[in-house]
Amino acid sequence: MRSLISILDFSVAELDQLIATAKDIIANPDNYREKCRYKKLATLFFEPSTRTRLSFEAAMLELGGSVIGFSEASSSSASKGESMADTAKILSCYADIMAIRHPKEGAPYVASRNATIPVINAGDGGHQHPTQTLADLLTISREKGRLNDLTIGLCGDLKYGRTVHSLIEAMSRYEGIRFVLISPAELKLPSYVRFNVLEKHHIPYTEVTSLEDAMPELDVLYMTRIQQERFDDVEEYNRLKDSYVLDTEKMQLGKADMCVLHPLPRVNEISVAVDDDPRAAYFRQALNGKYMRMALILKLLEEAQNPAREAIDTEGLVYDRVCKNPKCICQVEQELPQIARITDPAENILRCIYCEQKV
Ligand code: NCD
């Protein structure tokens, strides 16, 4: 069954197709109003959300379908100790497609291995957030008119910011992309993105700490919130939380045709005065998220009509290597098999198949 767990599950051609569908939905909304009649989307949100959950729900309703689900873990049987695998099997009885947000890294992947309906990762811990990337891609395409030949600055919490990880994976596959990674030393990009994506595919990038210095060269500036809920150390969060604030003065340093994205919610990393700048695209980005989720639901439901259970890619798998990441789903669900994959044979680097951290 086709699911969306990582943005790499879709080829560039498929991403371009989703963007084309979303643009067609924008141009001809009436053609889509009945497309999902009698279909149900389940939204399983074990973590807070405004945009992602409600844009999924709005997307399904605008396609003529309906929605079931919950918006907090405490109102589901997970609070009684039900496993992700069982939850996925149960939801497969009630819905045609499901979107899951979970604080543990790899939880939607576990669901997809056990469900008989398509599973969409709506954010797993500090790991990945592929549907936010769909919103980001449509936004860049609409604002800049292209997805290639861009210098993209990513600013803020690059360590725990899951939207950043998925966006880098997606954009690295387009031509002429260069990244400027702007963060404090403590919040740099995790190694699985740096080595498995940037280094492996020879994507040019620089790591800097000054937003002001980076501004003049950027075509796209992607601001992020410091992810308070992922910090183990409150002191460290308090020290880093105001690392970057984009204000009207800094905007003057940017190109006239730069665009500013933010997955939202913002705390104080973009001052409200910036909202009036035509280059501020983050509210348009939130709307684009609904159109891309409509396109995604259509694609996955269409493919579900010809289900071919995807075999797990067994190349380089190593069993019984213990993952030590406390944020991984395998730490709370003890019956999950401990499986790692060799991602760098030369260095003998093994990574957990759920959270991608080194084991
Ligand atoms: C993001 C998330 O949940 O990762 N929000 C969203 O889905 N639009 C970003 C964030 O919470 O900072």
Side-chain angles (χ1 to χ4, degrees), residues 78-346:
S79 64
K80 302 178 190 168
E82 184 161 56
S83 69
M84 196 68 249
D86 285 1
T87 304
K89 285 177 190 156
I90 297 307
L91 263 297
S92 300
C93 305
Y94 303 148
D96 300 285
I97 184 165
M98 65 175 119
I100 303 182
R101 169 168 287 192
H102 201 285
K104 289 291 177 193
E105 301 175 6
Y109 173 68
V110 172
S112 73
R113 298 302 310 166
N114 290 278
T116 52
I117 60 174
V119 175
I120 300 169
N121 180 0
D124 62 327
H127 187 209
Q128 297 284 340
H129 194 345
T131 67
Q132 179 61 46
T133 299
L134 297 182
D136 303 343
L137 293 179
L138 179 60
T139 306
I140 297 172
S141 168
R142 293 182 81 189
E143 299 287 323
K144 300 296 301 173
R146 64 183 193 277
L147 284 165
N148 47 18
D149 299 318
L150 294 166
T151 296
I152 302 175
L154 297 137
C155 177
D157 189 345
L158 310 189
K159 179 178 180 185
Y160 297 121
R162 54 194 175 192
T163 63
V164 167
H165 309 157
S166 296
L167 183 59
I168 290 178
E169 289 190 346
M171 291 307 300
S172 292
R173 294 184 293 163
Y174 288 88
E175 294 294 314
I177 298 298
R178 201 168 74 78
F179 294 106
V180 183
L181 306 175
I182 309 154
S183 78
E186 296 87 339
L187 297 177
K188 282 183 170 180
L189 205 63
S191 70
Y192 73 88
V193 186
R194 181 192 316 272
F195 293 111
N196 293 359
V197 183
L198 298 177
E199 301 279 344
K200 196 179 207 168
H201 301 292
H202 311 291
I203 312 292
Y205 72 96
T206 50
E207 289 188 295
V208 300
T209 51
S210 163
L211 174 58
E212 286 89 332
D213 291 354
M215 280 302 275
E217 57 177 325
L218 305 179
D219 299 307
V220 176
L221 170 59
Y222 195 93
M223 294 297 293
T224 62
R225 174 178 70 89
I226 308 293
Q227 307 279 298
Q228 178 175 14
E229 64 277 31
R230 313 271 176 237
F231 279 74
D232 297 320
D233 178 355
V234 182
E235 296 285 296
E236 184 169 66
Y237 170 73
N238 285 329
R239 194 159 42 77
L240 297 172
K241 67 179 185 194
D242 297 321
S243 297
Y244 300 101
V245 179
L246 180 64
D247 53 21
T248 48
E249 271 169 38
K250 290 196 193 83
M251 285 295 282
Q252 284 176 17
L253 303 170
K255 290 184 185 173
D257 64 349
M258 175 193 67
C259 65
V260 180
L261 274 63
H262 189 312
L264 303 176
R266 74 174 144 191
V267 182
N268 63 349
E269 57 280 354
I270 301 182
S271 68
V272 173
V274 175
D275 299 357
D276 296 331
D277 190 307
R279 295 170 293 176
Y282 30 91
F283 293 114
R284 296 190 288 276
Q285 184 183 359
L287 176 60
N288 287 332
K290 182 186 72 176
Y291 296 124
M292 283 303 264
R293 290 182 174 103
M294 289 172 81
L296 174 67
I297 291 169
L298 284 172
K299 176 180 172 62
L300 290 178
L301 283 179
E302 203 175 285
E303 294 199 18
Q305 290 179 351
N306 308 303
R309 193 172 171 80
E310 277 187 32
I312 187 167
D313 174 11
T314 52
E315 200 189 318
L317 290 190
V318 177
Y319 294 84
D320 295 326
R321 294 296 288 259
V322 178
C323 172
K324 297 186 194 69
N325 173 12
K327 297 182 162 117
C328 180
I329 183 73
C330 71
Q331 298 288 336
V332 281
E333 303 213 355
Q334 305 292 332
E335 79 292 352
L336 282 175
Q338 295 274 345
I339 310 176
R341 192 187 296 281
I342 300 176
T343 56
D344 184 342

Side-chain angles (χ1 to χ4, degrees), residues 10-77:
F10 285 174
S11 66
V12 170
E14 286 177 312
L15 294 178
D16 291 343
Q17 188 57 52
L18 284 175
I19 292 169
T21 305
K23 288 181 177 171
D24 192 55
I25 293 170
I26 294 166
N28 307 293
D30 287 344
N31 293 351
Y32 292 86
R33 299 222 191 279
E34 297 287 319
K35 290 266 186 204
C36 288
R37 210 152 167 228
Y38 306 124
K39 296 288 183 192
K40 271 174 284 166
L41 163 75
T43 53
L44 285 63
F45 277 62
F46 297 86
E47 253 194 355
S49 170
T50 300
R51 269 151 299 274
T52 305
R53 184 171 65 83
L54 296 179
S55 69
F56 260 117
E57 297 192 0
M60 193 51 160
L61 295 175
E62 286 188 29
L63 291 167
S66 47
V67 182
I68 57 173
F70 53 83
S71 55
E72 35 189 287
S74 59
S75 62
S76 80
S77 282

